[in-house]
Amino acid sequence: MPVINAVTALEVNDGIAVITVNNPPVNALGHAVRAGLLEALAAAMEDVSVQAIVLTCAGRTFFAGADITEFGKPLQHPGLTEVIDAFEASPKPVVAAIFGTALGGGLEVALGCHFRVASADARVGLPEVKLGILPGAGGTQRLPRLVGPEKAVAMIVGGAPIGAKAALADGIIDEIVAEPIPGAIAFAKKALAENLPLVRVQDREEKILAARENPAAFEAAAKTALKKLAGVEAPAACAQSVRNAFTLPFAAGMEAERKLFMKLVIGDQSRAQRHIFFSEREASKVPDMPAGVKAAPITKAVVIGGGTMGGGIAMCFANAGVPVTIVETTEEFLATGLDRIKHTYAVSVERGALTQALMDKRLTLIAGTTDWDVIRDTDIVIEAVFEEMGLKKEIFGKLDKLAKPGTLLASNTSTLDVDAIANATSRPGDVVGMHFFSPANVMKLLEIVRGKDSSHQSIATAIAAGKLMGKIPVVVGNCDGFVGNRMLARRTTECERLLLEGALPQDVDAVVQKFGFPMGPYAMGDLAGLDVGWRIRKHRGVKAPVSDTLCEEGRFGQKTGKGYYIYENGSRVPTPDPEVTKLAAQKADELGVKRRNITEQEIFERMFYPMINEAARILEEGIAVRASDVDVVWAYGYGWPVWQGGPCFYGDLVGAKKIVAALEHYAELTGDAGLKPAKLLTALAARDGKFGDIGVAAKAAA
Ligand code: CAA
């Protein structure tokens, strides 16, 4: 194939020029691609034998978007808009041959073509909002001209891609074809034979004129799309830019889109979201994994325990198409567990998130038994029983006797020592922790706990199993609470202290929610059940005067109608309870704690800085190998807002110096040595360093 540049080729056959970009892995539209596209187009223009052009890619996908790694760096010409304008202006028809995912700039390029065909399994979308930006190469101006501003605002603010069938129905593509390139060539020939007029999307006015007539329909769609997104910059900018598509002429709309894009792309929110995008992909890379270690195949699974967690994990396997058997102690527990799973699927069907046919198919993949013989023939076992070491050891001893060699033996422990569990077997190399987050079938995070003897193969298999289940696996070291819960424990301690010192649950929750968490810690505690923490505290001999008393009074949270808040008549909305204020004041009195007015700033610092400090300790100890892994854990397991980048990213924004000074103050105020700044944080403060500069370190040098 004649080569235009390192990533672009042009081949002319029978009057049709096929431009193919080959820029693995996802054909991102980096500088070389953009330059190659313009050159290829010019060559196709010059060649008089060329009557029409097909634009496509090699490899696994059509363009998956702009090259995100170029964001924030000076633009190297040509820009993407220039490339798209040139294709749209072509006097020879251009057909995009879409397969895989045409996302962001990729779809924008396709929208600059006169026609678009796609394979049946292709997906198209403008997901830029998830990177804290807006489609910056005409997407907010061209898509509304094709589908109408109402649909465009939902698609651009939501950011979720749609399938080829929906794209065809919406007029985003013109035809679904069996094979993208031959299909596009056939379409181009048909366009020539039938003399089809070239469709330049920027000139399509019908939907724009209709929206001008009825802006209220757009405003209603924008309001729906923006619901619950207050405080996040990109969604509002996306909506504004789509609004511009019908309130401004095309050129002015493009200009405004550019300005909004430039403003967002240099902002902290977009930097944070891009950081999470790359960190998520980095997190499952294990620095010391020898080349050539391959994950064992997962074709059958067993989950021990059919409770909420076990059931959720079994659903993850079934959702991934893997047959799974739940082992329970009695038929009664088994029936309850299987019913719970059925009910959860049924709710999804009711909500329209799942078809009945898919639910039925998944249920056929989930079996239950009380017979441990099933362990003999499985690739992976995940134990999800009560959090008690004795029980776990007993179970792993049993697994050791039954499982065939090489079966991955995983514990879903959230705090316990994985080495102690592994030592209950004769094969500690096959044992890992696989810590799912509740609800396990929904939450994306999977902490993979590496014991001191866990083999590379076991880690690789656990990662692969996690990915198969659609999780984001993060490999962490073995310690009390691993990464996520260990940091959370710091926040929980501060919550109890703040109650005694004078802050109320609603004050603290408001600060945490304002930062962007979907829920504050007290509302979260009430949802999860306060008895869980109480049991752990009793086990460890730890006291939390206010929370313990609430539990002693039977206030376990939402399930009992009362916890830190009141939930009247089955409501899930927390209502502040004066009784809790009274109880906190009484306990403070008993303990001689002087209550005072606590500012929002202090609440904020005490909620977040101790966690950042613990993250530093976790890095010092090598429990997490990268600061960005900590960020992924919090973004996907605990609701840390992605536009705030995770604890370490956010810590860098605040600056280590400021955090160290605040921690010293709070350590003194509370007398808690655990609040003293970690060595690593102090070192960062001294050299004006950042978590983001540490890179991969087995143990981050302090
Ligand atoms: N730019 C640069 N690198 C990218 C990239 C992009 N747009 N998209 C993916 N990559 C990289 C990933 O970082 C990853 O790199 P490593 O192998 O080094 O970790 C590699 O490509 C493969 O990516 P995935 O592991 O995610 O592969 P996948 O097959 O699971 O998913 C995908 C493929 C669906 C395309 C997914 O990568 C994705 O969603 N990418 C981002 C798409 C996107 O947001 N596009 C819009 C970009 S912004 C834009 O286009 C602005 C504009 O308007 C001009």
Side-chain angles (χ1 to χ4, degrees):
M1 198 183 280
V3 170
I4 295 287
N5 70 4
V7 290
T8 321
L10 172 76
E11 191 172 30
V12 182
N13 265 321
D14 206 11
I16 310 291
V18 177
I19 299 173
T20 307
V21 167
N22 185 8
N23 185 29
V26 295
N27 289 309
L29 288 145
H31 174 247
V33 174
R34 301 193 301 272
L37 284 174
L38 273 194
E39 268 184 61
L41 181 67
M45 287 300 124
E46 235 170 65
D47 185 338
V48 287
S49 76
V50 171
Q51 291 178 284
I53 299 161
V54 164
L55 175 57
T56 194
C57 295
R60 68 194 213 213
T61 180
F62 194 75
F63 307 107
D67 185 338
I68 306 167
T69 60
E70 288 183 354
F71 289 176
K73 298 179 186 157
L75 173 72
Q76 278 185 286
H77 286 282
L80 193 53
T81 302
E82 197 181 318
V83 175
I84 294 170
D85 285 349
F87 274 84
E88 194 176 45
S90 158
K92 301 179 184 182
V94 186
V95 183
I98 299 172
F99 62 99
T101 44
L103 299 178
L107 179 57
E108 290 173 304
V109 168
L111 293 177
C113 298
H114 306 122
F115 306 103
R116 288 157 293 281
V117 302
S119 57
D121 58 356
R123 296 179 69 73
V124 304
L126 294 172
E128 284 87 341
V129 72
K130 296 186 177 160
L131 297 170
I133 51 173
L134 48 65
T140 64
Q141 305 305 296
R142 286 192 178 88
L143 189 66
R145 284 172 162 78
L146 265 192
V147 305
E150 299 82 14
K151 268 196 181 155
V153 78
M155 202 167 153
I156 294 173
V157 172
I162 58 172
K165 217 165 133 193
L168 181 67
D170 284 346
I172 297 174
I173 59 168
D174 300 290
E175 204 172 290
I176 292 180
V177 292
E179 290 290 332
I181 299 174
I185 293 173
F187 194 100
K189 287 186 174 166
K190 182 177 80 175
L192 292 170
E194 295 177 9
N195 209 9
L196 293 183
L198 303 192
V199 184
R200 296 197 168 93
V201 176
Q202 66 164 291
D203 296 334
R204 300 235 348 220
E205 288 284 78
E206 325 80 272
K207 300 239 157 84
I208 294 303
L209 294 176
R212 255 178 227 155
E213 286 295 306
N214 182 14
F218 168 80
E219 293 307 335
K223 196 170 161 200
T224 307
L226 289 170
K227 224 167 143 185
K228 292 196 190 160
L229 286 170
V232 201
E233 291 157 8
C238 288
Q240 179 53 43
S241 202
V242 176
R243 186 180 288 112
N244 293 343
F246 65 90
T247 56
L248 299 177
F250 181 78
M254 287 294 289
E255 177 65 28
E257 179 192 86
R258 191 80 218 138
K259 280 196 182 135
L260 284 168
F261 178 89
M262 293 312 288
K263 189 171 162 221
L264 290 174
V265 83
I266 56 167
D268 286 339
Q269 292 195 356
S270 175
R271 278 206 312 117
Q273 284 178 258
R274 274 144 42 206
H275 163 75
I276 292 291
F277 176 87
F278 286 115
S279 304
E280 170 189 331
R281 282 155 180 82
E282 199 67 13
S284 58
K285 295 175 187 157
V286 181
D288 67 344
M289 180 70 75
V293 173
K294 285 213 163 47
I298 304 283
T299 58
K300 280 176 229 161
V302 167
V303 175
I304 311 280
T308 315
M309 269 326 255
I313 297 168
M315 288 171 78
C316 293
F317 279 116
N319 298 352
V322 178
V324 55
T325 306
I326 297 174
V327 176
E328 254 301 355
T329 44
T330 68
E331 290 294 340
E332 196 190 337
F333 286 157
L334 200 54
T336 311
L338 292 172
D339 276 351
R340 192 183 300 113
I341 292 174
K342 246 184 240 162
H343 175 73
T344 311
Y345 277 135
V347 170
S348 298
V349 172
E350 239 168 67
R351 281 200 199 128
L354 187 72
T355 63
Q356 184 65 47
L358 204 50
M359 164 172 163
D360 294 344
K361 192 173 156 208
R362 289 177 179 178
L363 283 175
T364 62
L365 292 170
I366 304 178
T369 183
T370 53
D371 182 355
W372 282 67
D373 231 37
V374 70
I375 305 296
R376 292 184 196 281
D377 183 27
T378 184
D379 302 317
I380 179 170
V381 182
I382 301 183
E383 162 277 309
V385 304
F386 213 60
E387 197 71 342
E388 203 192 289
M389 184 56 94
L391 182 60
K392 304 232 180 212
K393 281 187 174 169
E394 189 190 316
I395 287 173
F396 274 76
K398 222 161 155 184
L399 294 178
D400 189 30
K401 292 202 176 71
L402 294 169
K404 64 185 181 197
T407 300
L408 183 67
L409 307 179
S411 170
N412 174 49
T413 176
S414 54
T415 46
L416 298 178
D417 180 358
V418 170
D419 290 334
I421 297 173
N423 286 338
T425 73
S426 63
R427 42 173 131 178
D430 293 348
V431 178
V432 296
M434 284 177 82
H435 179 207
F436 290 77
F437 289 71
S438 187
N441 53 314
V442 176
M443 297 298 286
K444 300 275 275 178
L445 178 66
L446 176 64
E447 277 184 330
I448 294 179
V449 188
R450 184 176 181 166
K452 73 175 172 17
D453 296 317
S454 304
S455 71
H456 285 115
Q457 157 115 61
S458 297
I459 297 294
T461 306
I463 292 172
K467 287 190 173 167
L468 187 71
M469 292 187 262
K471 302 294 173 201
I472 297 172
V474 182
V475 178
V476 300
N478 183 26
C479 68
D480 188 3
F482 316 126
V483 171
N485 282 348
R486 177 168 160 179
M487 288 168 65
L488 183 67
R490 291 284 172 197
R491 187 175 85 174
T492 309
T493 304
E494 288 313 300
C495 279
E496 181 68 22
R497 272 201 193 115
L498 282 167
L499 272 186
L500 289 173
E501 289 174 34
L504 298 173
Q506 54 271 31
D507 303 333
V508 179
D509 279 355
V511 169
V512 173
Q513 270 189 294
K514 191 167 154 198
F515 185 72
F517 273 81
M519 262 186 180
Y522 299 96
M524 190 68 214
D526 276 356
L527 177 67
L530 302 186
D531 48 328
V532 182
W534 188 37
R535 206 179 314 117
I536 296 174
R537 285 196 299 277
K538 280 200 284 194
H539 187 69
R540 293 182 174 173
V542 175
K543 292 245 176 293
V546 181
S547 305
D548 289 348
T549 309
L550 289 176
C551 288
E552 281 153 18
E553 290 170 358
R555 297 180 64 137
F556 293 160
Q558 280 195 23
K559 60 185 169 193
T560 56
K562 278 181 181 180
Y564 291 117
Y565 295 98
I566 304 184
Y567 304 86
E568 265 158 2
N569 307 322
S571 159
R572 294 163 67 95
V573 182
T575 305
D577 184 357
E579 289 298 317
V580 173
T581 315
K582 227 159 73 191
L583 173 67
Q586 179 203 325
K587 289 286 162 194
D589 249 10
E590 283 170 24
L591 294 163
V593 178
K594 196 165 171 297
R595 285 169 72 80
R596 61 195 165 91
N597 240 337
I598 301 183
T599 63
E600 244 186 63
Q601 180 63 22
E602 178 172 346
I603 292 175
F604 182 87
E605 291 175 353
R606 291 178 64 178
M607 283 294 94
F608 293 104
Y609 294 1
M611 291 208 298
I612 296 169
N613 197 31
E614 198 59 30
R617 290 196 188 104
I618 281 170
L619 286 164
E620 277 168 32
E621 293 168 26
I623 295 296
V625 290
R626 311 172 184 89
S628 61
D629 288 357
V630 173
D631 292 343
V632 173
V633 165
W634 271 80
Y636 290 108
Y638 297 84
W640 187 288
V642 283
W643 63 93
Q644 305 279 18
C648 294
F649 182 94
Y650 188 75
D652 282 346
L653 284 183
V654 176
K657 247 187 204 137
K658 191 169 167 194
I659 298 174
V660 163
L663 285 167
E664 269 160 358
H665 167 69
Y666 294 124
E668 170 117 18
L669 181 83
T670 60
D672 180 355
L675 286 176
K676 287 204 173 127
K679 267 199 290 196
L680 174 63
L681 199 62
T682 310
L684 288 179
R687 62 171 189 260
D688 230 354
K690 292 187 182 305
F691 284 112
D693 301 333
I694 298 172
V696 174
K699 288 179 199 259

